[in-house]
Amino acid sequence: MPPFESGPDATGHFGPYGGRFVPETLIAALDELTAEYERARADESFRRELDQTLRDFAGRPTPLIEARRFAALAGCRVFLKREDLLHTGAHKINNTVGQCLLTRRMGKPRVIAETGAGQHGVATAAAAARFGLQCVVYMGAEDMRRQRLNVQRMELLGAEVRAVDAGSRTLKDAINEALRDWVTHVRDTHYVLGSVLGPHPFPRMVRDFHRVIGLEAREQFAAQVGGLPDLLVACVGGGSNAIGLFHAFLDETAVRKVGVEAGGEGLASGRHAARIPEHSIGVLHGTRTLVLQDERGMIRETHSVSAGLDYPALGPEHAWLADQGLASYASVTDAEALDAFEKLASLEGILPALESAHALAWVLREGKALGKECRVVVNLSGRGDKDVEEILRVRGKMS
């Protein structure tokens, strides 16, 4: 199936969103990356190696399963796209394998990455080890506390993990430090950006590496159930797992797409990471998109129990999809996500990542209104092993 042409245009814009807002020193590197990516897309040997690595190293295709006991509680039919079963435990490996292959093509020996929940960092470290690349991962000190297991995994995979103590000590600050590193080491380093964010060509390139999620889900649903699902649901931080699921269905207007943002302690509290409700346009980390900012245009601190959703900007393609009515966006609170985590664990024997639990929580909240015949595909973007200690701490169950 040919890709749905939702952009970007030649300048990297999805309507008013996207583009490049970076220091002059990075323009040459972005031009080089854009050109190399275009050559790689047209290179059959690159596509063959990418597909083979995703199959033999990452574990694609991932299954689509019906979660009948969870569905009975939700009030609608629920199918889980099991990205949590991929090597390293999340969808992130799709993108890091692709970008590390590009790094090798460009002849650069070193990669850097940012990470929030740690899954992108682990996936980058694994792909870098696979292809013989040096790897440095920037991670906020608060996220390192919440995701200690993933810090240890990255180090065991040979990566150097650098703590970021600035600002809120979370994902936003880790991206700041990664960009500073790239500016000063641009000749020998590629920045493996982890979501559909940042300057062009990253939003398009990361989306393309994750399109496999939706392409598989569409084929699997047709074979197992018949026809098309009625609804797709995925959590949205930057938005890579959601755009990966949605994109193969964007030409099907009858299939609803819902992205679920982090509602934190509630929208009225101000302690959340939901960008859509405020619809405030700004520039952050090289792209123009919807951001959480104050009346002076300063980026606000965010909050989520999920480190991977704790970010103040939305991927520019998601902002465009929302404006065009091609996808809708909602939010759920920390408490709802924690409850959904426990429900999937006890009913289906699956520990979902706290990020994915936000999508599950929306289905629990809205499922009965959807109706028992509504067929919902939820992207289970990652597994929750990394979150167990934090969940026990938040729930007051630490021994």
Side-chain angles (χ1 to χ4, degrees):
M1 187 185 76
F4 179 86
E5 293 300 329
S6 63
D9 64 18
T11 62
H13 284 84
F14 302 86
Y17 308 109
R20 285 181 181 173
F21 298 85
V22 295
E24 188 67 28
T25 49
L26 289 181
I27 295 298
L30 291 168
D31 285 343
E32 176 191 23
L33 178 61
T34 303
E36 194 62 56
Y37 177 58
E38 291 301 326
R39 285 192 290 268
R41 291 179 73 222
D43 184 343
E44 184 178 343
S45 65
F46 175 85
R47 297 198 305 270
R48 185 167 55 248
E49 185 172 9
L50 175 61
D51 290 344
Q52 181 179 355
T53 306
L54 290 178
R55 183 190 70 216
D56 299 338
F57 180 64
R60 300 215 72 91
T62 60
L64 180 74
I65 69 165
E66 187 164 7
R68 290 185 172 87
R69 293 184 43 149
F70 184 86
L73 180 65
C76 59
R77 295 184 71 183
V78 179
F79 300 82
L80 304 176
K81 181 58 174 161
R82 297 293 306 277
E83 295 297 285
D84 60 308
L85 293 179
L86 284 172
H87 177 47
T88 72
H91 72 291
K92 297 293 187 179
I93 195 77
N94 302 321
N95 171 48
T96 62
V97 164
Q99 288 204 52
C100 284
L101 281 171
L102 282 174
T103 303
R104 192 182 66 184
R105 283 176 65 100
M106 292 186 289
K108 295 185 176 184
R110 178 176 181 264
V111 293
I112 57 173
E114 86 297 328
T115 196
Q119 289 301 115
H120 174 62
V122 172
T124 303
R130 173 79 172 186
F131 297 116
L133 303 169
Q134 301 168 30
C135 180
V136 173
V137 180
Y138 290 91
M139 191 172 189
E142 170 62 13
D143 290 339
M144 291 181 72
R145 180 196 66 76
R146 293 192 283 188
Q147 303 291 341
R148 182 174 59 179
L149 174 62
N150 274 344
V151 174
Q152 295 166 336
R153 293 171 73 200
M154 285 182 269
E155 291 173 341
L156 288 169
L157 288 165
E160 176 189 350
V161 183
R162 296 184 183 175
V164 179
D165 282 305
S168 60
R169 309 193 307 165
T170 57
L171 181 58
K172 170 178 68 69
D173 313 291
I175 294 177
N176 288 341
E177 291 304 314
L179 285 169
R180 289 189 185 101
D181 184 316
W182 199 23
V183 166
T184 55
H185 299 94
V186 70
R187 291 186 178 180
D188 69 350
T189 297
H190 172 63
Y191 178 15
V192 182
L193 205 154
S195 194
V196 284
L197 293 163
H200 177 65
F202 283 109
R204 176 196 177 193
M205 184 175 68
V206 176
R207 176 199 75 191
D208 289 352
F209 286 138
H210 283 305
R211 286 188 75 248
V212 64
I213 301 170
L215 291 172
E216 283 181 7
R218 184 167 178 156
E219 181 178 330
Q220 290 166 331
F221 192 91
Q224 295 171 209
V225 187
L228 296 168
D230 301 302
L231 176 62
L232 312 173
V233 185
C235 65
V236 177
S240 62
N241 92 87
I243 207 69
L245 177 64
F246 294 173
H247 205 262
F249 296 87
L250 285 180
D251 58 343
E252 303 290 351
T253 56
V255 180
R256 288 180 57 202
K257 297 95 183 168
V258 175
V260 184
E261 299 184 289
E265 295 177 5
L267 300 186
S269 73
R271 285 178 52 76
H272 61 81
R275 289 67 46 104
I276 288 288
E278 296 185 18
H279 205 277
S280 180
I281 300 174
V283 173
L284 182 64
H285 296 141
T287 194
R288 185 174 190 264
T289 187
L290 299 183
V291 300
L292 291 173
Q293 57 189 339
D294 63 22
E295 63 277 0
R296 298 172 298 162
M298 301 298 290
I299 300 299
R300 300 205 316 257
E301 288 193 5
T302 56
H303 165 77
S304 174
V305 71
S306 163
L309 303 185
D310 200 355
Y311 183 68
L314 180 68
E317 187 168 8
H318 282 292
W320 183 83
L321 291 176
D323 283 0
Q324 298 299 309
L326 293 170
S328 59
Y329 297 81
S331 65
V332 302
T333 65
D334 289 349
E336 289 174 307
L338 288 164
D339 182 64
F341 176 98
E342 294 179 352
K343 291 294 192 297
L344 192 75
S346 62
L347 293 172
E348 298 290 348
I350 299 169
L351 297 177
L354 275 175
E355 292 78 16
S356 311
H358 283 69
L360 295 165
W362 185 89
V363 174
L364 284 178
R365 190 176 72 198
E366 306 294 335
K368 289 182 174 59
L370 295 171
K372 63 182 181 180
E373 298 303 319
C374 183
R375 304 176 302 178
V376 181
V377 171
V378 177
N379 196 19
L380 202 66
S381 57
R383 64 175 178 249
D385 309 49
K386 67 183 178 60
D387 295 310
V388 169
E389 187 173 319
E390 181 67 4
I391 289 169
L392 293 176
R393 186 190 70 81
V394 170
R395 290 297 207 199
K397 297 180 180 178
M398 289 289 286
S399 56

